[in-house]
Amino acid sequence: MSTVQPETVAAEPAALSAKQARILRYLRENAGERTYFKSRLIADDLDLSAKEVGANMTAVADAAKDIDVEKWGYSSGTTWMVTA
């Protein structure tokens, strides 16, 4: 008899809004490929505005237990450093 181990998937905390959950999922999916994310580029990929991303990022950073999200800089838009 073989047993199949389900993949470990980090669940989004229930306290996040749908928009915040989308941002968190996006960061988790892309954190392995890059470290720095600009709000406007996240917004482009998720069909949001950069302002919406920035306004929701604090809640996302607080809820994320498997990645670290830190406001890194502001030059031509906010940049976030994300490490897994």
Side-chain angles (χ1 to χ4, degrees):
M1 180 166 90
S2 74
T3 58
V4 177
Q5 298 286 336
E7 289 185 37
T8 303
V9 177
E12 282 86 20
L16 292 179
S17 70
K19 211 177 281 188
Q20 293 163 346
R22 284 177 53 209
I23 294 168
L24 179 55
R25 192 168 33 256
Y26 175 86
L27 294 175
R28 283 179 176 150
E29 290 171 0
N30 292 286
E33 299 169 13
R34 56 187 174 166
T35 303
Y36 299 97
F37 297 83
K38 286 204 166 282
S39 288
R40 66 181 165 81
L41 298 178
I42 295 170
D44 288 346
D45 287 346
L46 297 179
D47 198 29
L48 300 170
S49 72
K51 190 173 187 173
E52 287 176 299
V53 172
N56 287 290
M57 197 61 89
T58 301
V60 170
D62 290 344
K65 302 300 179 204
D66 56 333
I67 59 173
D68 292 320
V69 180
E70 179 182 338
K71 189 172 184 177
W72 188 251
Y74 187 89
S75 70
S76 69
T78 303
T79 301
W80 303 91
M81 183 175 73
V82 179
T83 52

